[in-house]
């Protein structure tokens, strides 16, 4: 099959970017989208043109490194699928496909299709952990965890940190990412001691980098891991409770 | 030089405790005076950096990823072993030790493996406390599953994403230290050289992947936790960026490299669909718990799976290995699959797979149970192949997956270069000639959380109140210049073929001659082809763009250049080892019924190689393996 690609090229963070057209010819429909880009890059190198930079790594949908807005949709047209798991059989022969980087104020462009997502690390550093020094943990079966709680925590924990939620959001908000981590830990008995400080600190850090949530829900529909919007509701509830418990709503110091 | 493994005296079960009592300590108030560099943020590097930071050392950690969360540890699916014996099925520390030694075909060091089994239980405690959502039973206690090569249920899991969840646990512990300021995190930063002064590791040279800036960093000790080198084969299950550059640079500076040919070919990967394929996708071997592996009895059978009656199917693992059946260790399962395909019994459009069939399990347990156990794996398979494994059997084929070989380390995980440590997949220890399923995660975390943070103190204590070597020292300038020259060399060749082209050609040579089956003439052929290809690479590779921006071709060029040299060492090591053991199968050394023939008299040793130059043969050093607690037997899974 043949497809035409309209690809965002940008030399660096401060440079102006533009779309450039490329043709991908004689592509196998069994190829993944990224393998198709590999072939395009091989051709560019053969012609002496600088290849397209794009983030990718595991190519099995788990590391969260790959990104790409494909025809305006984060990770492309197939639901619940990261770009690296998207195959060319999902496109029509002769299609014109627009490929852009994540577009969000919180994710500045590094080059071409590569963006800087380190703001996510800052959110985790603010509280996305349970403080347990190595070696100080109690016997693992000492604290039973109801299976339902463990499963719900696992649902939240399956977030791969790709940033599709932010890219999909008209406000460039990171609520789904942040809520997934907060809820994973807040649902477990081990996460209770730091529950309120974690929630408040992570939400406050998130607000420094990202836009605000207006409950549109684009994030959940773009999520390759199907992280549920419900987690945002749980986070918001814990945030409000955390603010009260830490007596921050009334301007008092905790 | 003689290799001193520094295995402590005493009975096997007392060695680690004895070591910890005898070792030198660094007092809590003195720890901040020591600078430690950790390269890599996977399970081993991330857990080591977090723990060292927690202890109070001054830690700098580097990763070439944009975030520590993305290391390839994240892709492990099946689980992590521990000797908890929660099932009451006869497991113990000694049994986990024994299974690991036996599974590794008696080519690993007893004392290291026993320590690994000992700390395995602490790992589960630690991860559970961190909020890793392990699978649980209805009573709220931890669940287990069984895994290839053993007869107990000792594997803990988090759906099919155990590696991801453990990696996120490590990442959270590391992020906590970064937030507290005890660990300095450098992302998109690739280590390109180890710096030595008077034979000791004193720092590293790093390239910022977004700006091309070269920087030097000094420390009292350097820890390499940079994973394995399966990507030398080009097509492997490793992530695209996985590479051997850090360990190879260390090797060229004097750290010996052990058992380079011990590579693991994983039996349950999705077969390649076309020649453009960039990597192979692995599916957890836990699938073998409920799936039955078969091929049509008749060669070149054109019928779809559903039309082949049971009587005309060969369930070859169940037939050949009645007691372990589909759960034989990875090397046995992989080799058996290759034999079927070599006999033209391969299935699928390219005849490059064998069936893994869930039909019987679905009938016995119901679709719901199978979906609960493997739902995400089935989904992944369907997404890639467009086939529904609930209805048609999966197709699988072996692919390079893990490298047991790596930098030689002693009991303290220190390489032959003082002050340079290697942990996780990057070192050679613990797995011998074959790694058991669910043991990689265990080893990475054991090294990083529970071993290195102790053993490194024994070295550091000798340097109290000694400043690290300044980065103004000529050794740093020299190393920096070497790195810059190398990058400029790649950019200046301006040949006609891409880095990937060369990588693919190298991969073809390696998988053909140093893959699932090896022989002397093939290995010798590879040893003449690889240097020729390397020569061509330096004449004809085309790396466009410049150093001062993000330039993925330039990154790859350095990695592939090192893979050429690693590939050569892999073949040389395979040629030296005139026996078959674990993942290393020499066709000349097999029993009458085609099983691996070990030669303990001559080869019960670690083959450790010392670099002498790019075009000269490395020196071989042998560490004889002594087995005082297990009897060397021929592995039998029949």
């Amino acid at each position: 099959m043949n497809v035409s690609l309209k690809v965002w090229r940008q030399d660096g963070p401060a440079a102006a970017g533009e779309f450039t057209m490329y043709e991908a010819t004689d592509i196998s429909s069994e190829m993944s989208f990224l393998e198709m880009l590999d072939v395009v890059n091989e051709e560019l190198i053969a012609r002496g043109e600088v290849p397209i930079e794009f983030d990718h790594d595991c190519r099995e949908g788990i590391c969260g490194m790959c990104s790409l807005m494909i025809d305006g949709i984060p990770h492309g047209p197939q639901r619940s699928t990261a770009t690296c798991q998207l195959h060319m059989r999902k496109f029509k022969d002769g299609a014109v496909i627009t490929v852009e980087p994540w577009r969000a104020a919180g994710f500045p462009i590094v080059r071409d299709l590569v963006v800087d997502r380190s703001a996510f690390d800052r959110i985790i550093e603010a509280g996305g952990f349970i403080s347990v020094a190595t070696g100080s943990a109690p016997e693992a079966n000492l604290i039973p965890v109801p299976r339902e709680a463990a499963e719900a925590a696992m649902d939240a924990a399956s977030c791969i940190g790709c940033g599709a939620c932010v890219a999909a959001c008209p406000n460039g908000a990171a609520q789904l990412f942040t809520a997934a981590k907060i809820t994973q830990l807040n649902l477990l008995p081990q996460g209770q001691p730091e529950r309120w400080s974690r929630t408040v600190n992570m939400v406050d850090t998130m607000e420094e980098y990202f836009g605000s949530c207006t409950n549109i829900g684009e994030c959940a529909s773009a999520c390759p891991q199907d992280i549920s919007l419900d987690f945002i509701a749980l986070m918001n509830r814990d945030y409000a409770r955390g603010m009260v418990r830490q007596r921050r709503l009334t301007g008092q110091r905790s | 030089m003689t290799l001193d493994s520094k295995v402590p005296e005493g009975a096997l079960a007392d060695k680690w405790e004895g070591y910890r009592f005898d070792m030198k300590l660094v007092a809590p108030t003195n720890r901040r005076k020591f600078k430690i560099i950790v390269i890599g943020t996977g399970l081993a590097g991330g857990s080591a950096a977090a723990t060292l930071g927690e202890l109070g050392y001054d830690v700098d950690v580097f990763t070439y990823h944009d975030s520590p969360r993305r290391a390839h540890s994240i892709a492990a699916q099946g689980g992590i072993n521990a000797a908890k014996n929660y099932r009451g099925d006869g497991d113990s520390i000694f049994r986990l030790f024994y299974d690991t030694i036996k599974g590794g075909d008696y080519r690993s060091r007893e004392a290291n493996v026993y320590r690994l089994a000992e700390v395995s239980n602490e790992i589960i405690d630690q991860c559970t406390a961190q909020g890793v959502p392990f699978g649980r039973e209805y009573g709220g206690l931890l669940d287990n599953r069984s895994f290839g090569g053993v007869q107990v249920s000792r594997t803990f899991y988090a759906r099919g994403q155990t590696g991801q969840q453990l990696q996120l646990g490590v990442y959270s512990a590391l992020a906590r230290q970064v937030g507290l300021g005890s660990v300095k995190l450098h992302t998109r930063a690739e280590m390109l050289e180890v710096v030595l002064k008077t034979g000791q590791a004193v720092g590293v040279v790093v390239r910022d992947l977004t700006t091309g800036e070269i920087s030097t960093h000094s420390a009292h000790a350097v820890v390499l936790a940079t994973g394995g080198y399966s990507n030398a084969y080009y097509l492997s299950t490793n992530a695209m960026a996985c590479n051997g550059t850090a360990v190879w640079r260390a090797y060229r500076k004097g750290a010996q490299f052990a058992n380079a040919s011990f590579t693991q070919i994983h039996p349950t990967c999705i077969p390649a669909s076309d020649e453009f394929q960039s990597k192979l996708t692995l599916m957890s071997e836990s699938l073998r718990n409920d799936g039955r592996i078969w091929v049509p009895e008749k060669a070149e059978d054109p019928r779809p799976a559903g039309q082949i009656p049971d009587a005309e199917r060969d369930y070859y693992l169940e037939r050949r290995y009645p007691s372990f059946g589909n759960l034989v260790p990875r090397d046995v399962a992989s080799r058996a699959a290759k034999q079927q395909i070599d006999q033209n019994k391969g299935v699928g459009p390219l005849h490059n797979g064998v069936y893994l069939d869930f039909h019987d399990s679905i009938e016995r347990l119901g679709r719901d149970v199978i979906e609960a156990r493997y739902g995400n794996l089935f989904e992944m398979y369907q997404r890639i192949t467009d086939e529904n494994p609930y209805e048609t059997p999966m197709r699988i084929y072996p692919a390079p997956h893990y490298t047991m070989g790596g930098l030689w380390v002693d009991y303290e995980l220190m390489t032959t270069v003082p002050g340079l440590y290697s942990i996780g997949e990057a070192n050679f220890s613990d797995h011998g000639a074959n790694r058991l399923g669910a043991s990689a995660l265990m080893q990475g975390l054991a090294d990083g959380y529970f071993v290195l943070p102790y053993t490194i103190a024994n070295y550091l204590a000798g340097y109290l109140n000694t400043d690290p070597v300044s980065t103004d020292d000529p050794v740093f300038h020299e190393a920096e210049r070497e790195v810059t020259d190398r990058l400029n060399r790649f950019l200046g060749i301006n040949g006609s073929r891409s880095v990937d082209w060369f990588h693919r050609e190298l991969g073809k040579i390696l998988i053909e001659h140093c893959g699932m089956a090896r022989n002397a003439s093939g290995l010798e052929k590879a040893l003449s082809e690889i240097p020729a290809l390397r020569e061509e690479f330096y004449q004809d590779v085309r790396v466009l763009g410049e150093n001062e921006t993000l330039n993925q071709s330039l990154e790859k060029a350095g990695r592939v250049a090192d893979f050429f040299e690693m590939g050569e060492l892999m073949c040389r090591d395979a040629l030296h080892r005139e026996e078959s053991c674990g993942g290393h199968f020499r066709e000349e050394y097999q029993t009458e019924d085609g099983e691996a023939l070990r030669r303990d008299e001559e080869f019960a040793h670690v083959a450790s190689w010392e670099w002498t130059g790019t075009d000269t043969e490395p020196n071989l050093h042998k560490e004889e393996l002594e087995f005082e607690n297990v009897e060397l037997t021929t592995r039998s899974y029949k």
Side-chain angles (χ1 to χ4, degrees):
Chain A
M1 61 188 289
N2 302 317
V3 294
S4 305
L5 300 171
K6 196 175 149 195
V7 180
W8 185 261
R9 301 300 305 263
Q10 182 173 334
D11 283 346
E18 60 174 15
F19 282 108
T20 307
M21 290 297 295
Y22 299 99
E23 300 299 322
T25 46
D26 286 332
I27 296 295
S28 155
S29 62
E30 294 300 304
M31 287 166 97
S32 73
F33 193 83
L34 297 183
E35 282 161 4
M36 182 274 297
L37 281 183
D38 291 340
V39 171
V40 170
N41 271 346
E42 290 274 292
E43 283 166 12
L44 287 179
I45 293 169
R47 291 208 304 262
E49 292 177 42
V50 175
I52 304 159
E53 305 283 350
F54 60 93
D55 265 333
H56 63 95
D57 199 25
C58 77
R59 298 211 177 182
E60 47 191 85
I62 196 73
C63 76
M65 189 80 177
C66 66
S67 52
L68 303 188
M69 288 296 261
I70 300 169
D71 286 336
I73 306 169
H75 293 302
Q78 188 177 3
R79 278 199 79 138
S80 319
T81 303
T83 295
C84 64
Q85 297 274 280
L86 175 67
H87 283 71
M88 293 310 292
R89 63 176 92 92
K90 298 289 169 188
F91 296 90
K92 290 201 176 74
D93 190 21
V96 179
I97 306 169
T98 306
V99 189
E100 297 170 82
W102 284 165
R103 303 274 192 198
F107 292 157
I109 291 179
V110 176
R111 186 182 170 96
D112 292 343
L113 304 171
V114 174
V115 299
D116 177 1
R117 288 170 285 195
S118 49
F120 272 7
D121 288 339
R122 304 292 91 77
I123 296 175
I124 300 297
E125 287 157 15
F129 47 76
I130 291 170
S131 298
V132 46
T134 302
S136 65
E139 212 291 323
N141 260 349
L142 194 65
I143 306 168
V145 180
R147 193 162 186 263
E148 296 73 14
E151 290 294 306
M154 181 63 225
D155 289 340
S158 64
C159 166
I160 59 175
C162 63
C165 46
V166 175
C169 177
N171 307 327
Q175 253 75 5
L176 195 62
F177 168 81
T178 311
K181 183 49 69 180
I182 288 177
T183 316
Q184 175 207 336
L185 301 176
N186 286 6
L187 281 170
L188 295 171
Q190 289 86 352
Q192 296 314 306
E194 293 164 296
R195 180 173 181 170
W196 314 111
S197 60
R198 167 186 306 120
T199 310
V200 170
N201 293 343
M202 287 178 74
V203 170
D204 289 353
T205 305
M206 171 188 79
E207 299 280 352
E208 285 174 34
Y209 293 93
F210 295 98
S212 299
C213 175
T214 49
N215 288 319
I216 292 168
E218 287 279 338
C219 51
S221 62
C223 177
Q225 293 292 95
D226 291 326
I227 303 292
S228 164
L229 266 188
D230 295 351
F231 293 128
I232 297 183
L234 290 167
M235 172 178 76
N236 288 342
R237 185 196 59 173
D238 275 8
Y239 183 73
R241 290 172 69 184
M243 291 293 273
V244 173
R245 286 191 182 232
Q246 294 195 332
R247 301 191 302 165
R248 283 174 47 171
L249 276 186
T250 49
Q252 292 158 300
R253 297 225 178 102
S254 55
Chain B
M1 77 181 278
T2 44
L3 292 166
D4 178 8
S5 62
K6 296 194 213 151
V7 171
E9 296 296 315
L12 186 64
D14 302 329
K15 285 183 194 292
W16 181 228
E17 201 180 338
Y19 173 87
R20 286 188 292 171
F21 181 73
D22 292 336
M23 65 177 259
K24 285 180 253 171
L25 296 173
V26 176
T29 47
N30 281 331
R31 290 181 198 147
R32 67 189 149 76
K33 298 177 186 165
F34 290 102
K35 259 188 83 87
I36 302 173
I37 286 172
V38 179
I39 309 294
T41 58
L43 289 191
S47 60
T51 304
L52 292 167
E54 223 168 73
L55 286 168
Y57 294 107
D58 181 4
V59 181
D60 275 73
V61 63
F62 297 83
T63 169
Y64 57 64
H65 282 111
D66 68 336
S67 164
R69 66 181 294 146
R70 307 214 195 275
H72 194 56
S73 307
I74 207 159
Q77 296 163 356
I80 176 165
N81 288 330
K84 287 281 194 187
N85 193 30
Y86 283 162
R87 301 298 102 188
D89 57 0
D91 202 4
S92 64
I93 288 169
F94 194 85
R95 186 173 295 280
L96 175 55
F97 154 76
Y98 179 80
D99 286 345
T100 307
I101 287 272
K102 178 187 171 202
D105 224 356
Y106 307 98
R107 291 296 174 263
S108 42
R109 199 185 282 149
E110 275 190 347
N112 283 55
V113 177
Y114 191 85
R115 177 178 61 191
L116 174 69
E118 256 182 303
V119 302
S120 68
N121 292 338
E122 287 180 78
I123 296 171
I124 300 304
D125 298 342
Q126 183 68 25
C127 296
T128 303
Q130 282 172 345
V132 170
F134 284 123
R136 287 177 184 269
E137 300 179 317
Y138 284 100
L141 302 182
L142 293 163
D143 194 17
N144 293 108
R145 53 168 64 141
S146 67
F147 237 67
V150 299
Q151 290 175 311
V152 291
S153 275
R154 63 159 73 103
T155 305
F156 296 78
Y157 65 94
R159 282 193 198 147
Q161 300 157 24
T162 317
Q164 181 200 25
Q165 292 312 314
L166 296 175
Q167 174 65 24
L168 294 181
V170 163
Y171 166 59
S172 72
L174 180 59
R176 179 169 158 250
Q177 296 307 314
V178 173
L180 291 169
S182 58
V183 175
K184 189 150 181 266
L185 170 68
H186 306 259
T187 55
R188 292 201 197 259
E190 182 168 26
M191 191 214 90
L192 293 178
E193 200 58 87
V194 186
V195 183
L196 266 58
K197 182 164 182 173
T198 56
Q200 281 178 297
V202 296
V204 294
V205 182
V206 172
R207 178 171 180 265
D208 181 320
L209 298 183
T210 60
T211 64
E213 189 197 341
I214 306 292
S215 57
T216 50
H217 305 263
S218 79
H220 292 91
V222 176
V223 181
L224 301 182
T226 52
Y229 49 92
S230 294
N231 266 353
Y233 289 100
Y234 184 71
L235 274 184
S236 83
T237 67
N238 281 190
M240 301 296 282
C242 290
N243 69 82
T245 286
V247 294
W248 200 252
R249 295 286 115 195
Y251 170 68
R252 291 174 60 107
K253 286 284 162 86
Q256 291 183 24
F257 202 98
N259 297 341
S261 68
F262 285 172
T263 53
Q264 182 170 78
I265 315 263
H266 193 288
T268 52
C269 302
I270 301 175
S273 64
D274 60 58
E275 56 176 313
F276 302 105
Q277 191 131 351
S278 56
K279 74 153 275 173
L280 297 169
T281 300
L282 174 149
M283 290 177 301
S284 167
E285 72 176 334
S286 62
L287 289 167
R288 290 199 275 145
N289 277 321
D290 289 304
R292 297 181 70 196
I293 294 174
W294 64 276
V295 291
E297 211 163 53
K298 208 170 66 192
E300 291 172 40
D301 194 327
R303 292 174 292 176
Q307 289 175 22
I308 302 177
D310 219 37
E312 293 171 42
R313 299 174 175 188
D314 181 8
Y315 294 91
Y316 57 88
L317 288 179
E318 297 172 20
R319 172 171 58 79
R320 286 171 58 180
Y321 308 100
S323 71
F324 278 71
N326 294 299
L327 292 177
V328 292
R330 292 176 172 179
D331 56 320
V332 177
S334 292
R335 212 154 42 239
K338 181 181 189 299
Q339 285 160 359
Q340 299 304 319
I341 288 174
D342 289 348
Q343 292 167 29
N344 293 324
K345 293 182 180 176
V347 300
L350 301 179
H351 309 291
N352 58 351
V354 298
Y355 286 127
L356 177 64
D357 199 337
F358 289 86
H359 181 266
D360 292 350
S361 296
I362 291 172
E363 248 180 23
R364 181 165 44 91
L365 302 164
R367 189 185 148 128
D368 291 352
V369 174
I370 295 299
E371 194 172 340
R373 284 185 193 166
Y374 311 110
N376 65 318
L377 297 171
F378 278 38
E379 249 175 67
M380 182 173 84
Y381 181 84
Q382 184 158 14
R383 199 172 288 138
I384 292 170
T385 61
D386 220 15
E387 288 174 4
N388 179 356
Y390 293 103
E391 282 154 20
T392 48
M394 286 182 173
R395 288 175 291 115
I396 55 169
Y397 193 62
H401 164 62
Y402 186 90
T403 49
M404 283 76 69
L407 290 176
W408 185 91
V409 289
D410 59 23
Y411 188 75
E412 299 183 310
L413 305 181
M414 186 148 84
T415 67
T416 51
V417 172
L420 182 66
Y421 291 79
S422 180
I423 58 176
E425 191 180 349
N427 73 28
F428 88 105
S429 70
D430 299 5
H431 304 299
N434 175 55
R435 179 175 64 72
L436 288 179
S439 284
L441 301 178
M442 174 173 68
Q443 187 221 337
L445 292 177
D447 287 0
Y449 278 135
F450 296 110
V451 180
L452 179 90
Y454 288 100
T455 60
I456 203 166
N458 199 36
Y459 173 79
L460 294 174
Y463 297 90
L464 186 61
N465 297 325
T466 313
D467 286 335
V469 174
S470 159
T471 53
D472 287 331
D473 192 281
V475 291
F476 278 95
H477 292 303
E478 173 67 14
E480 187 178 341
R481 196 176 52 74
E482 277 172 31
V483 167
T484 313
D485 287 352
R486 206 165 118 88
L487 292 166
N488 287 336
R489 183 175 179 193
F490 295 133
L491 287 164
I493 296 168
N494 207 16
S496 67
R497 279 179 292 208
S498 69
V499 176
D500 277 344
W501 184 88
F502 284 99
H503 193 184
R504 268 195 297 272
E505 293 302 305
L506 173 67
K508 284 180 202 161
I509 298 173
L510 282 177
I511 197 75
E512 171 75 21
H513 299 301
C514 199
M516 273 176 278
R518 299 129 183 218
N519 61 56
S521 70
L523 289 165
E524 270 156 13
K525 189 156 178 263
L527 281 171
S528 73
E529 285 176 358
I530 296 170
L533 188 65
R534 172 163 53 85
E535 200 60 28
E536 209 181 321
F537 172 85
Y538 282 107
Q539 299 293 327
D540 195 31
V541 74
R542 175 180 279 184
V543 183
L544 299 168
E546 50 200 26
N547 176 53
E548 287 70 27
T549 61
L550 180 68
N551 187 340
Q552 291 166 335
S553 306
L554 182 60
E555 294 165 25
K556 256 188 271 178
R559 296 167 189 168
V560 172
D562 288 335
F563 277 143
F564 284 120
E565 296 177 20
M566 295 190 92
E568 251 185 277
L569 189 68
M570 287 159 72
C571 294
R572 196 168 300 284
D573 184 63
L575 189 61
H576 155 75
R577 194 165 281 278
E578 294 177 331
E579 65 162 349
S580 295
C581 60
H584 170 68
F585 189 77
R586 280 283 297 267
E587 287 168 345
E588 303 96 315
Y589 305 97
Q590 50 182 308
T591 61
E592 277 174 10
D593 46 359
E595 301 296 336
L597 185 68
R598 245 182 28 233
R599 296 172 66 205
D600 295 329
E601 290 287 309
E602 295 86 355
F603 290 98
H605 63 246
V606 175
S608 185
W609 301 89
E610 180 191 8
W611 191 76
T612 59
T614 311
D615 297 307
T616 50
E617 287 194 20
N619 291 331
L620 173 65
H621 302 271
K622 294 177 186 174
E623 180 198 340
E624 296 299 334
L625 293 168
E626 285 156 33
F627 294 94
E628 293 166 351
N629 301 279
V630 297
E631 199 181 327
L632 274 68
T633 56
T634 300
R635 288 192 312 170
S636 173
Y637 294 94
K638 294 202 168 177

